[in-house]
Amino acid sequence: MLDPNVNALYLILETFIFTPCHDKTPHYPAVMADFGFNEHHQNEVINYMRFARSKRTLRLKTIDSCFQDLKDSRLIEETYTVDEVSDMLDGLQVLVRGEVEMELINTAHTNVLLLRQLFSQAEKFYLRLQTDISELENRELLEQVAEFEKTDFKPNSKVNQESSKPKLAPLNEGGVSELLQKEISRLQEDNDKLKARLRTLESQAMSALDDKSKAERALKDLQKSQGDHQEIANLEGTVAAMQADFEKTLNANVASQKDLQDSLVSAKHDLLRVQEQLSLAEKELEKKFQQTAAYRNMKEILTKKNEQIKDLRKRLQRYESDE
């Protein structure tokens, strides 16, 4: 069975490499009319398919060894439980899955390296190759590739055993060279036009620079002649502005001083009025306090105490005189 990755690469090659040549006379006789391969390209494809087959055979041997190892190491008893069988199958699944995944990844990377060779050669001749990914699943083309492997690609088939080259041969050298020469001629013509245009622009730029220099010199002379008058005018304007600012500041200070004086006088009047109100309030409070019963009782008590003190002093003086 044909490797699907080889099959896909084979179809990619068919989509953009084997296009009709610009030359009317082909360089190689057509061997596969269905795909448009010449003898050289057919041999290149066969060499790659042999390489892919050898890698596939090696990977299949590895998978067979996984099963054989399972038989030799685990299948040593006559009866097994369901859990043991499930465990063995899970382990085998992991091994086989890893081998298949590794092979698929390696095959994809190998195909990328092969495409890199083709694209590198195309870019040297200013070609842009295009692919049609949808053609990779074309069943009709896939069957043709499988048929080609059965009929033409056999171990004993006589094909041109060319040695492997690091890079493939250029496609249609004559037609590409002619196109390349035309492109070079067109670019040279455009380059000459651009050079002529550049010379014209340079001359115009030089003329503009001369005019600019003359204008700058004239401007400097004019500025020099008007410099003194302008400086005096600037000084007069500066002095006038300073005088106006000074007057404005002075007027602002006078108005501020007047406002402060008025505020001070008003504050003094308010202070005297508050002091007067406070004195009246104290007198009123004292008067109200004297009219209270507590004040009268306290006054009577103080009067009695004073009389007692006077009486005690009299007695004390009497006792002192008797001694």
Side-chain angles (χ1 to χ4, degrees):
M1 183 177 180
L2 186 63
D3 189 349
N5 291 282
V6 176
N7 205 357
L9 179 62
Y10 198 85
L11 295 181
I12 290 176
L13 297 175
E14 191 274 336
T15 56
F16 63 84
I17 295 178
F18 307 106
T19 54
C21 300
H22 294 280
D23 293 343
K24 295 182 180 180
T25 303
H27 294 281
Y28 301 98
V31 177
M32 291 190 64
D34 294 336
F35 292 100
F37 290 176
N38 56 38
E39 183 178 359
H40 174 76
H41 291 156
Q42 180 184 355
N43 292 330
E44 293 294 334
V45 172
I46 289 175
N47 289 335
Y48 179 78
M49 293 178 70
R50 285 177 174 169
F51 166 76
R53 173 176 289 183
S54 64
K55 299 291 290 183
R56 184 172 70 246
T57 302
L58 180 61
R59 190 59 60 185
L60 290 176
K61 289 181 179 180
T62 304
I63 294 176
D64 292 339
S65 65
C66 292
F67 283 88
Q68 189 63 40
D69 291 341
L70 177 64
K71 294 178 182 180
D72 296 339
S73 60
R74 301 294 297 274
L75 300 180
I76 56 178
E77 299 180 6
E78 294 182 356
T79 58
Y80 292 93
T81 63
V82 175
D83 294 336
E84 291 175 343
V85 174
S86 177
D87 182 59
M88 288 188 290
L89 291 178
D90 290 341
L92 182 60
Q93 179 186 3
V94 172
L95 293 177
V96 174
R97 178 184 177 86
E99 293 293 335
V100 174
E101 183 179 9
M102 184 183 302
E103 178 60 21
L104 291 175
I105 293 173
N106 182 67
T107 302
H109 293 174
T110 304
N111 292 340
V112 172
L113 294 180
L114 182 59
L115 292 175
R116 176 178 175 273
Q117 297 182 33
L118 299 175
F119 292 150
S120 298
Q121 291 185 61
E123 290 176 0
K124 286 186 177 181
F125 291 93
Y126 302 95
L127 298 178
R128 293 184 178 180
L129 305 183
Q130 295 180 351
T131 61
D132 187 359
I133 303 300
S134 62
E135 288 295 321
L136 300 180
E137 297 181 353
N138 190 322
R139 299 304 307 173
E140 183 180 355
L141 293 178
L142 292 174
E143 292 176 359
Q144 292 180 11
V145 174
E147 188 66 24
F148 169 70
E149 184 183 24
K150 293 178 182 179
T151 57
D152 295 336
F153 181 40
K154 297 180 180 179
N156 57 357
S157 61
K158 296 181 179 180
V159 294
N160 184 17
Q161 302 293 339
E162 296 182 357
S163 59
S164 299
K165 301 179 179 61
K167 293 184 180 179
L168 299 179
L171 301 176
N172 193 12
E173 293 183 359
V176 174
S177 300
E178 183 179 355
L179 292 175
L180 184 60
Q181 186 63 34
K182 289 181 180 179
E183 183 67 16
I184 292 174
S185 300
R186 186 184 66 80
L187 292 175
Q188 288 179 350
E189 183 179 356
D190 293 341
N191 191 24
D192 294 337
K193 292 180 181 179
L194 290 175
K195 287 182 179 179
R197 178 63 176 169
L198 179 61
R199 287 193 294 267
T200 302
L201 292 176
E202 287 178 351
S203 61
Q204 293 177 357
M206 293 300 296
S207 177
L209 288 175
D210 293 338
D211 295 339
K212 182 181 179 182
S213 300
K214 292 178 181 179
E216 288 179 351
R217 287 195 295 270
L219 180 62
K220 288 181 180 179
D221 294 339
L222 181 61
Q223 290 176 349
K224 186 176 180 181
S225 62
Q226 295 180 352
D228 296 337
H229 298 289
Q230 185 67 28
E231 185 176 0
I232 293 173
N234 292 336
L235 290 174
E236 290 177 353
T238 302
V239 171
M242 292 177 63
Q243 185 175 0
D245 292 339
F246 178 74
E247 291 177 356
K248 186 183 296 185
T249 304
L250 182 61
N251 294 332
N253 291 334
V254 171
S256 177
Q257 185 176 3
K258 185 177 180 181
D259 292 339
L260 290 175
Q261 290 178 354
D262 294 340
S263 299
L264 182 60
V265 172
S266 177
K268 287 182 178 179
H269 291 167
D270 293 339
L271 180 60
L272 292 174
R273 184 169 57 255
V274 170
Q275 288 178 351
E276 183 179 0
Q277 292 177 356
L278 182 61
S279 177
L280 292 175
E282 289 178 353
K283 291 180 180 178
E284 185 69 20
L285 182 61
E286 184 178 359
K287 183 177 179 181
K288 289 182 179 180
F289 180 71
Q290 290 177 359
Q291 293 177 357
T292 60
Y295 179 78
R296 290 195 296 271
N297 294 333
M298 186 178 293
K299 189 173 182 180
E300 291 177 359
I301 293 172
L302 289 176
T303 303
K304 291 179 181 181
K305 292 293 183 181
N306 290 332
E307 291 177 356
Q308 291 177 0
I309 292 171
K310 290 179 181 179
D311 185 45
L312 291 174
R313 286 180 178 175
K314 289 178 180 180
R315 290 179 182 181
L316 181 62
Q317 289 177 0
R318 190 184 314 127
Y319 289 144
E320 290 177 353
S321 61
D322 292 340
E323 292 178 355

